[in-house]
Amino acid sequence: MKVLKFGGTSVANAENIQKVKAIVASEKVEKNMVIVVSALGGVTDLLLKTASLAVNHDETYKETLQYIEDRHLETIQNLIPITSQSPIISKVKQDLNQLETLFEGLFLLGEMTPRTSDKIVSYGELLSSYIISEYFKASQLDAALKDSRDLIKTNNQFGKALVDFKLTNTNCYFYFKSAKQLITVVPGFVSSTLEGETTTLGRGGSDYTAAIIAGATDANLLEIWTDVSGMYTANPKVVKQAKAIEKISYEEAMELSHFGAKVLYPPTVQPVLQKQIPILIKNTFKPEEIGTLIVKDEKSTELPVKGISNVDKVALLTLEGVGMVGIPGISKRLFEVLSQESISVILITQASSEHSICLGISAADTTRAKVAVNEAFAYEISLKKIEPANIESGLSIIALVGDQMKSHQGLSGKMFSTLGKNNVNIRAIAQGASERNISAVIDEKDVNKALNALHERFFEEQTKQLNLFVTGVGNVGEKFLAQIHQQKKFLKERLKLNVRVIALSNSKKMVFNENGISLSNWKEELAAGEVASLNGFFEKVKGLNLRNSIFVDNTANDVVAATYAPYLRNSIAVVTCNKIAAASDYKNYQLLKKLSFNYNAPFLFETNVGAGLPIIDTLKNLIASGDSIHTIKAVLSGSLNFVFNNFKESSTFHDVVQQAKKEGYTEPDPKIDLSGVDVARKILILARESGYQIDMENIENLPFLPQESLDTPTVPEFFETLKTHDAHFNALYEKAKANGARLKYVATFENGKAKVGLEEIPSDHPFYNLEGKDNIVLFYTDRYQEQPLLIKGAGAGADVTASGIFADIIRVGSN
Ligand code: ADP
Ligand code: ASP
Ligand code: MG
């Protein structure tokens, strides 16, 4: 004998029910086969909604009732041949009339008891099982309907009745022993008291009905047919990468379902466990997939964690006070009062000091729990020995489940570090002594992120998804996107990094796509986007609350630079080539660094100095490994280097600067380069990263430009003054030449002080032969005293800058 249960989605409409029939018909039935069915998908909820409308004297309950009727009639019309429809339709209409009478009663009375509620919802399964059994008969299957209320007997705890197994088992045994038909269709979820009053087994209870019958009849297999291909490593609707678990133990399945894996109603395992009847979970819509087999002592996989699940709408009830220490019986009283109120406790933690007990309960029970607990401990509360019960809501539980977790060290460490890295705040922790489950209570808003991050950590062989939010798609931004596009496959295969661009923005438009923007036609997607706003962008990034989020600033804009703090505060990493934040006043720089540390959100700006050259990263590595920086000497301006490399007898200074501007080597206003401001910012950043507290005004800037040039208000006027001061520039050049030297614009940091200015570089100096727009940096440190550590190479250009940003992204990925 075999029991098959088909869930709400599987029997949602005629088309799906035809699939169910095909599955049933393809089974080789030798003896009795039991088909347990749910209500047509969504009907239980609709019945409850209609009831609540009626209770609230809202006439629109008639509309939802009509809709329920239409759905059932439509299903019959699409399944049963016209000639046989009439008696079936009239029976269903008769039932619906009874239902209508019940709703009218609710409307008049304005209240509903759990008893009436059970009566009402039972119609869902009673109607579906009737229609399906008639369809089976009409399809020449040897089928009959059996009302499960005659078989499954319960107490009168309406809403979630307790089964009288002795009676139920006997009923089932005798009924199926003498049943003549091969296929028996049975409504799930419904049952009845000894007096014959309708009860139900709790939401999702059709699974349980099937298990009860399987247990009672010694079935050799219980199949749960649903809308997913088994029990997954996490809820597949939340974690896209989740996979069906091939085999799992009864205990693991129970634990996962207790902690929210809705695919199996938690009590389902219990009736089949003792007789070791295997449970197979299958997908009605993909019957060819193997599904999940639930058996005894499943040890086939090396993975210690089998699945991750979550329970939403949880509240924490905390009872604490000095009066609790060392006094036996407090927990007993607490649990007793909750049990009297039929409030189930999902999770318990108690600190060993016994000063407080913290319980996880369903959010729906909070008011009742609070009142009952405060009443039970009123005496202690009045003496101030115990505080009134404290309730925190808006929480969820996430749990790692696996039989083998106990024989593996470090799993909880892994779990909590993963949550910590993603800024998921943990409100309470529990680990069962069986170590089959480690749970954490977290904020409901973090569940999606937490599940995905944990799934990645425990199931995806270290593949890490990086979610990028990119602003600035000009020269650098465009190159950056092209580089990611080109490297995507490599990153995934070799570095196990799955880089996705979730959002793009320029000053006009912004676009978001949670599944990743296509990097081959991002321009079109952006053009079709919404109007850009910096705050709107931030709010959306924050709202998405994705793991490993990175805000990438490819602009040189001060307003964008001013938005970093909120990103970091939300544990969103910031990667930027924009120098403005790191070179702003020290307080702001320090704040950003602190936020980055406190919120575990990298703030990386390698490209602020020397474009793609690994200057800041090298500096950080030196310091992290215990070295200390004494002196930095560097040529850090590609533009100034270009200018002085090309300024010779044959050219005027004015013309060379103009050429540099024309070729895009200078800022739009070349005075920013020539006045040394840009270089000063860079040495400032290097000094700060070396651990020194320093501000712009502490940097000595020895200008080589005449005061008149520095004072010009516009770019053309600036160029004019360069012409008038030709002799001044020529004299600088001639003097250097006479000394056998070359002119370089040098930044120096020494003894805690920084300066920038034009210097004559002798021919034996490493700066002498610096070509084109190259940069060079010399670090003199404890370890590099005589011979400095030298970094040299192209220090400007969109391509190398983009690759520097890319390198920072990879650094975030390996963080
Ligand atoms: P049915 O109506 O067939 O009983 P349910 O909606 O009760 O189906 O259960 C199936 C749903 O359970 C899936 O669609 C999925 O959203 C949810 N679910 C939650 N956690 C898991 C999990 N770990 N594995 C599979 N499904 C899960
Ligand atoms: N129809 C019931 C519910 O929606 C029982 C079930 O489908 O398992 O809760
Ligand atoms: Mg279900």
Side-chain angles (χ1 to χ4, degrees), residues 5 204 207 262-263:
K5 177 257 170 178
D207 298 344
K262 191 185 161 215
V263 63

Side-chain angles (χ1 to χ4, degrees), residues 5 7-8 38 203-207 224-226 262-265:
K5 177 257 170 178
S38 287
R203 292 304 307 270
S206 298
D207 298 344
I224 304 285
W225 289 81
T226 182
K262 191 185 161 215
V263 63
L264 199 67
Y265 182 52

Side-chain angles (χ1 to χ4, degrees), residues 523-787:
K523 284 186 183 166
E524 287 77 357
E525 283 197 44
L526 181 59
E530 57 189 301
V531 175
S533 105
L534 281 176
N535 193 45
F537 194 82
F538 166 71
E539 287 300 333
K540 224 156 174 177
V541 177
K542 184 177 151 195
L544 282 173
N545 199 12
L546 298 178
R547 67 200 184 282
N548 309 321
S549 289
I550 309 175
F551 175 61
V552 185
D553 175 13
N554 291 326
T555 73
N557 190 301
D558 52 345
V559 191
V560 180
T563 66
Y564 298 167
Y567 282 100
L568 295 171
R569 260 191 209 104
N570 284 281
S571 291
I572 297 160
V574 174
V575 167
T576 180
C577 59
N578 184 344
K579 285 189 267 296
I580 293 178
S584 60
D585 69 88
Y586 187 76
K587 264 207 185 118
N588 186 49
Y589 165 82
Q590 202 182 25
L591 170 76
L592 296 175
K593 285 291 219 185
K594 212 168 96 191
L595 291 177
S596 161
F597 181 80
N598 289 350
Y599 291 93
N600 208 345
F603 171 39
L604 300 180
F605 40 85
E606 177 61 84
T607 45
N608 281 5
V609 181
L613 294 177
I615 296 173
I616 295 178
D617 195 49
T618 307
L619 190 55
K620 280 187 186 162
N621 288 338
L622 288 175
I623 292 169
S625 63
D627 206 348
S628 76
I629 315 294
H630 309 160
T631 305
I632 304 170
K633 258 187 123 46
V635 175
L636 295 173
S637 166
S639 9
L640 284 171
N641 204 35
F642 177 90
V643 168
F644 287 106
N645 278 344
N646 288 287
F647 178 37
K648 303 203 174 82
E649 291 89 344
S650 52
S651 54
T652 71
F653 191 73
H654 166 272
D655 291 352
V656 176
V657 175
Q658 200 138 58
Q659 186 196 346
K661 178 168 191 294
K662 215 170 95 197
E663 297 193 13
Y665 296 144
T666 70
E667 299 282 327
D669 178 359
K671 202 163 65 182
I672 302 221
D673 297 304
L674 294 171
S675 65
V677 169
D678 192 55
V679 176
R681 279 182 182 155
K682 290 174 179 168
I683 194 73
L684 174 75
I685 293 170
L686 291 186
R688 285 175 172 177
E689 290 291 299
S690 307
Y692 295 88
Q693 180 172 343
I694 178 168
D695 258 308
M696 263 311 241
E697 51 270 25
N698 309 124
I699 297 178
E700 194 183 341
N701 187 342
L702 308 164
F704 68 90
L705 287 178
Q707 194 59 41
E708 195 195 342
S709 308
L710 286 170
D711 291 342
T712 49
T714 66
V715 177
E717 284 168 90
F718 173 70
F719 273 104
E720 274 313 304
T721 63
L722 296 188
K723 272 189 197 157
T724 18
H725 289 278
D726 224 11
H728 164 73
F729 297 114
N730 287 340
L732 290 174
Y733 174 78
E734 293 302 338
K735 185 168 157 281
K737 196 178 169 204
N739 291 332
R742 281 181 179 168
L743 289 172
K744 299 283 167 195
Y745 197 83
V746 179
T748 311
F749 174 73
E750 202 162 20
N751 301 322
K753 292 202 180 83
K755 62 175 187 193
V756 295
L758 198 60
E759 289 183 19
E760 287 184 4
I761 303 296
S763 60
D764 57 351
H765 193 279
F767 291 178
Y768 186 84
N769 283 318
L770 198 66
E771 300 298 335
K773 40 190 192 347
D774 282 5
N775 278 195
I776 184 166
V777 183
L778 311 179
F779 287 118
Y780 293 88
T781 72
D782 280 353
R783 293 184 197 138
Y784 295 91
Q785 297 216 6
E786 308 293 312
Q787 285 304 315

Side-chain angles (χ1 to χ4, degrees), residues 307-564:
I308 308 169
S309 56
N310 63 301
V311 192
D312 292 338
K313 300 201 175 65
V314 169
L316 277 182
L317 181 151
T318 308
L319 195 63
E320 65 183 322
V322 282
M324 288 170 61
V325 183
I327 299 182
I330 298 264
S331 351
K332 178 171 170 269
R333 279 168 62 199
L334 178 60
F335 288 111
E336 255 167 20
V337 56
L338 293 173
S339 141
Q340 277 156 14
E341 288 290 317
S342 306
I343 292 170
S344 61
V345 175
I346 317 172
L347 166 146
I348 310 166
T349 61
Q350 177 172 28
S352 55
S353 74
E354 294 184 56
H355 184 70
S356 74
I357 307 175
C358 181
L359 305 176
I361 57 174
S362 160
D365 294 334
T366 48
T367 316
R368 280 191 305 130
K370 193 170 175 168
V371 171
V373 171
N374 287 348
E375 247 167 46
F377 291 93
Y379 177 64
E380 287 85 350
I381 293 172
S382 73
L383 295 180
K384 297 205 175 337
K385 290 194 162 180
I386 291 182
E387 310 277 328
N390 180 42
I391 303 270
E392 267 179 277
S393 335
L395 303 172
S396 289
I397 299 175
I398 39 168
L400 294 190
V401 171
D403 283 341
Q404 305 305 314
M405 292 199 328
K406 53 183 169 293
S407 47
H408 285 76
Q409 278 93 36
L411 293 173
S412 43
K414 254 189 188 179
M415 174 176 183
F416 297 122
S417 71
T418 306
L419 295 175
K421 268 187 189 162
N422 283 282
N423 196 29
V424 175
N425 191 18
I426 298 165
R427 297 287 310 108
I429 296 172
Q431 177 168 15
S434 69
E435 280 196 50
R436 187 173 290 128
N437 173 328
I438 309 173
S439 339
V441 179
I442 62 170
D443 215 312
E444 214 157 57
K445 74 168 186 359
D446 288 330
V447 167
N448 194 322
K449 180 162 76 173
L451 282 178
N452 278 284
L454 289 174
H455 195 270
E456 204 163 73
R457 186 76 204 264
F458 287 100
F459 294 104
E460 292 168 44
E461 283 311 334
Q462 304 309 331
T463 297
K464 196 167 177 178
Q465 183 171 302
L466 300 181
N467 296 304
L468 309 192
F469 300 87
V470 181
T471 179
V473 288
N475 270 350
V476 172
E478 189 169 348
K479 288 264 158 52
F480 170 65
L481 293 175
Q483 289 179 8
I484 296 186
H485 189 34
Q486 189 205 324
Q487 283 302 94
K488 222 170 149 41
K489 200 161 160 246
F490 175 87
L491 291 175
K492 201 161 178 181
E493 283 167 8
R494 304 289 286 274
L495 299 186
K496 303 278 176 224
L497 291 177
N498 182 14
V499 181
R500 296 193 319 174
V501 176
I502 305 295
L504 282 177
S505 176
N506 56 20
S507 56
K508 295 185 191 75
K509 295 268 177 153
M510 62 183 191
V511 64
F512 280 76
N513 182 345
E514 213 184 320
N515 298 319
I517 292 169
S518 149
L519 292 181
S520 47
N521 73 328
W522 61 266
K523 284 186 183 166
E524 287 77 357
E525 283 197 44
L526 181 59
E530 57 189 301
V531 175
S533 105
L534 281 176
N535 193 45
F537 194 82
F538 166 71
E539 287 300 333
K540 224 156 174 177
V541 177
K542 184 177 151 195
L544 282 173
N545 199 12
L546 298 178
R547 67 200 184 282
N548 309 321
S549 289
I550 309 175
F551 175 61
V552 185
D553 175 13
N554 291 326
T555 73
N557 190 301
D558 52 345
V559 191
V560 180
T563 66
Y564 298 167

Side-chain angles (χ1 to χ4, degrees), residues 138-155:
S139 311
Q140 268 64 58
L141 291 178
D142 179 15
L145 174 69
K146 176 68 187 166
D147 188 336
S148 43
R149 292 177 297 180
D150 301 340
L151 301 172
I152 300 178
K153 292 292 168 183
T154 68
N155 68 358

